[in-house]
Each structure stands twice: as C-alpha cells, then as structure tokens.
Amino acid sequence: MTDGYHHGNLRAAVLKRAAEVIEEEGPHSFSLRSLAADLGVSHTAPRHHFGSREGVLNAIATEGFLILAERLRDNREAGGDFLETGVEYVRFAVDHPAHFQVMFTPTLLNARDPELAAARTAAFDELVTGADTVAEAAGDEPAAVVGGWSIVHGIATLALTGNLDSSGVRSLFGDADLIDITRRSAGLLFASPSPRE
Amino acid sequence: MTDGYHHGNLRAAVLKRAAEVIEEEGPHSFSLRSLAADLGVSHTAPRHHFGSREGVLNAIATEGFLILAERLRDNREAGGDFLETGVEYVRFAVDHPAHFQVMFTPTLLNARDPELAAARTAAFDELVTGADTVAEAAGDEPAAVVGGWSIVHGIATLALTGNLDSSGVRSLFGDADLIDITRRSAGLLFASPSPRE
DNA sequence: GGTGGAAAGTTGCCAGTGTAAAGATTATGG
DNA sequence: CCATAATCTTTACACTGGCAACTTTCCACC
C-alpha cells in the first residue's frame, strides 16, 4: 500500500517510533516534526491521525492501559495471586517503559478523552479486583490495596528512572533481576514468602 | 537593590516562580520566556544565573534533594523510626510537588552536574541510613530497604499524579488525609500497627 | 467504468521557544 | 576616580506545534 504518497500504516508507525523516542529521551523532548522526518513523511501528516501532539500521547497511554488490563486479567484467570499481580505490573513497566511513563504523567494527556478514560478504568478495575483477593486477610483492606499498588508502582518508577541504580540500593541484590527484587520486596508486604521458580 | 535595570534577586525569583509553574502545568510546559515575562525581565536574563533551561531544572532538583536530606536527618535525630522516615518522605512530596517531580525525572536533568550529584547522594544516604535501623528485623535487609522506599515513593507518585483519586482507591479511606493513608499502608510492610495521633 | 466525495499527505505560514553573540547598565574593589 | 566584573537587554537564528489551503489517492455508488 506504500505508493510513495500514502504511507500505508502511518498511525501504527507513529506510535511505534514515538515509544522508541520517549523511551530514550523522555516525553518532553519528543517532537512531532523530527518523528515525521524519521518516518519520511511531512511534518503535518501525523495530525490527520492524532489531531495534535497531545493526541499522540493520549493514544500511547490508551494503548498502554489496554495492554496492562489484558495482562492483569490473564494473570488473574491463570490463578495468579496478588503478589503475582504486582510482579506482572512491574514486568509491564519494564516491557513498555515509554507507555508506563506517559500513562502516569497526566499533565501530558487530555483527561477528557473517552477512550483513554475507558482504558484506564478497565486497568484500574482489574488492579483492584486482584487486590480484593488478598485484602481481607490483611486486616486493613484499603491500606492493603494502596500498599500493594504503591510498592510495585514505586519499584517500577524508581527502576525506570535509574534511581535504584544511582542510589546504590540495587547493588545490594547482587545480580538479581528486577522481577526477583520485586518478589522479595513486595513479598514482605503480606509476609508471604516469595515463590521462586 | 531593584533599580529598574537589575532585578535584585533574580535567581531566587526564578526558582520560586518555576516551581509554581511546574506544580500547576508540569515540567514539560515550563517555558523560560514566559517565566521571564512573569518576572518582568528580558527572556535571556535567567541564562546568566542558570546557563540554560536544563540548568534551572538542575537547580530545582538540587534544592529539592537538599531539603529532603535535611528533613530526613532531622527526623532521624529526633528519634523517628523507619515508618516515620517514610511519612516524612511523603510529606516532602506533598509540600514540594514540583521539586519531587523534577528530582525523579532524570531526562530533565544533566546527570554530570556535581552539585546535583552531591545533593542526591546526601539524600539517598540519609534514606538508606534510616532503613538500616529496621532492616535487620525484616529478615531480608535489601528487600526491606527497597520495599520501604518503593512504597512511600509509590504513594507519593500516585497521589501527586492524581491517580489515587482517578482510580477511586482514595475514596476507600473516607476523609483520611494522605499522611494517614501512608501510615496505614506503609505500616503493613513491617507488620507494625500504625500509630494514630 | 466513470465520478464525486472522503481520506491521506503536502506546502506554506504564524506564533512561541531555547540558545547565542554583542551591547548597555550598574555595582565594586583597587 | 577608574577598570573590571556582574547583571540585564537587544537582536538574531533555528526549531517546534498548530493551522489553512492545496494535491494526491482511495472508495463507494450510479
């Protein structure tokens, strides 16, 4: 379908390239014009698919929430407990660092986008559902939900921003990868020993 | 000292105004030119104090790490335990949301700035020192350090980005403020009942 | 098989931004 | 009193996002 004039699949190409750029340089320095140049199209071509720069970021966030919701659902249906839900959360952040960053930076997004709102709600509902299975045992159910979410969100955020490394804390774990670190750290929250396979 | 030509205290005024703007609209949309216009100086005046836009952000991050290190040290010297260290961490994020955001977004910063590196190291050392006091009791010391830091960092990040509200999770706590939520949630990590005063 | 929209992409323009060099103004130490 | 440094301004340039008008291609319909 690429005829020299029409790109063929510009929307998907923009999302893919945008995620690469954001992963490398952060969302603030991502430019529609240099993105279009990378893809060999004019600087206004992406506007026909996304409307604006904010539209691209909204699309990335929406895509991210949909992927996260799907992963959490798959994990729940496969019988994964709450700790495994948290591990899956961190794994998503590692696999899709650009999406994760954009999803949780609301100043980059248009909160009134209904598609984004729906995708976010789906992911958050799945997260809280996963928490309910263990929250009753913790004595303080709301605290268990916030604690579980916060600890894995904190691990993901600190790891992605490099602060786990620059603080020297990561080296305390030797050569353990981030998933192992997550199991050991988040495992403390509910005093359930971390399963290692 | 304000003589109509020289501002008198431009450096401090820029830092103050920049923090306000970043708190309201995020660091990506903070502009040196509109900042200078707000302060009634030419758009290049801040460059003589900070060198570049990145220089302003570095200065904010440095200031933030110094304030955080001071707070954590004061808390430790006042006999605060590790939970109280975490509460102080969240309190800092609430009191200085712009600083917190910039401090933990390394793509905004120049990592080779020695002043920034020194301030960051001071804050992180203080944080790990606070963790050591309780980590031995947790069985897995590195996991306790990462777990404690991550849970309060996660709470602060999710709260500042509005995700605790938009997910509906915060309403589970009624009208409790974020500090109470922190005590209850982070308190679960070490199975020590949360003190309420 | 034309034909008339609709979709996709391009060109040209404007306002706003960060950075840089060079000049103007004021403070300060000898 | 004067030279020098610090501070601030002016002017200029390259880059960015958004907008309007135009061109090319696709597609559905008669």
Side-chain angles (χ1 to χ4, degrees):
Chain A
M1 189 167 180
T2 305
D3 52 22
Y5 193 92
H6 290 90
H7 177 279
N9 202 2
L10 184 57
R11 186 188 155 88
V14 166
L15 290 179
K16 179 167 178 282
R17 179 63 188 149
E20 292 172 3
V21 173
I22 292 171
E23 179 175 346
E24 291 166 9
E25 305 169 29
H28 59 283
S29 73
F30 133 75
S31 134
L32 277 183
R33 284 178 111 102
S34 75
L35 187 69
D38 291 346
L39 300 178
V41 295
S42 76
H43 62 274
T44 55
R47 273 181 57 83
H48 289 271
H49 297 274
F50 300 98
S52 67
R53 185 190 131 105
E54 192 183 63
V56 177
L57 295 169
N58 263 48
I60 290 176
T62 302
E63 190 178 58
F65 279 118
L66 291 177
I67 296 173
L68 177 60
E70 183 186 6
R71 285 195 177 204
L72 296 183
R73 178 163 37 80
D74 288 350
N75 174 73
R76 178 171 52 80
E77 292 175 351
D81 61 3
F82 188 43
L83 178 59
E84 211 55 31
T85 298
V87 169
E88 195 60 38
Y89 191 94
V90 173
R91 216 190 307 260
F92 166 78
V94 170
D95 290 344
H96 301 282
H99 290 76
F100 188 84
Q101 195 172 354
V102 175
M103 288 158 64
F104 292 101
T105 309
T107 53
L108 296 173
L109 305 172
N110 175 13
R112 285 175 299 187
D113 180 343
E115 291 186 36
L116 172 59
R120 188 199 333 247
T121 299
F124 286 171
D125 284 354
E126 196 61 52
L127 195 65
V128 174
T129 298
D132 279 344
T133 63
V134 75
E136 301 159 7
D140 188 341
E141 180 165 340
V145 174
V146 167
W149 187 11
S150 294
I151 200 167
V152 291
H153 189 83
I155 290 173
T157 301
L158 290 172
L160 289 187
T161 54
N163 284 294
L164 236 44
D165 296 288
S166 67
S167 65
V169 164
R170 184 163 192 162
S171 63
L172 301 176
F173 288 85
D175 59 351
D177 69 4
L178 191 65
I179 300 302
D180 289 332
I181 294 176
T182 302
R183 284 217 175 83
R184 282 168 63 180
S185 302
L188 291 177
L189 185 61
F190 301 112
S192 65
S194 57
R196 319 266 178 78
E197 54 265 278
Chain B
M1 189 168 179
T2 303
D3 50 24
Y5 193 94
H6 291 89
H7 177 279
N9 201 1
L10 185 56
R11 185 186 156 89
V14 166
L15 290 179
K16 178 166 178 284
R17 179 65 188 149
E20 292 172 2
V21 173
I22 291 171
E23 180 175 344
E24 289 166 10
E25 306 169 29
H28 59 282
S29 73
F30 134 75
S31 135
L32 277 182
R33 283 178 111 104
S34 75
L35 187 68
D38 290 346
L39 300 178
V41 296
S42 77
H43 63 275
T44 55
R47 275 179 55 82
H48 288 270
H49 295 275
F50 301 99
S52 68
R53 183 188 133 105
E54 193 182 62
V56 177
L57 295 170
N58 262 51
I60 290 176
T62 302
E63 190 178 58
F65 279 117
L66 291 177
I67 296 172
L68 177 60
E70 182 186 6
R71 283 195 178 204
L72 295 183
R73 177 164 35 81
D74 287 350
N75 173 72
R76 177 171 53 81
E77 292 176 350
D81 60 3
F82 187 43
L83 179 58
E84 211 55 32
T85 298
V87 169
E88 195 60 38
Y89 191 93
V90 174
R91 215 191 308 260
F92 166 77
V94 171
D95 290 345
H96 301 282
H99 290 76
F100 188 85
Q101 195 172 355
V102 174
M103 287 158 65
F104 292 101
T105 309
T107 53
L108 296 173
L109 305 172
N110 175 13
R112 284 175 300 187
D113 180 344
E115 291 187 35
L116 172 59
R120 187 195 339 243
T121 298
F124 285 171
D125 285 353
E126 196 61 53
L127 195 66
V128 174
T129 299
D132 281 343
T133 63
V134 75
E136 301 157 7
D140 187 339
E141 179 165 341
V145 174
V146 167
W149 187 11
S150 294
I151 201 166
V152 292
H153 189 83
I155 290 174
T157 301
L158 289 173
L160 288 187
T161 55
N163 284 294
L164 236 44
D165 296 288
S166 67
S167 65
V169 165
R170 183 160 193 166
S171 63
L172 301 175
F173 287 85
D175 59 349
D177 70 3
L178 191 64
I179 299 303
D180 288 332
I181 294 176
T182 301
R183 284 217 174 83
R184 283 168 61 179
S185 303
L188 291 178
L189 185 62
F190 300 113
S192 66
S194 58
R196 319 267 181 78
E197 55 263 278

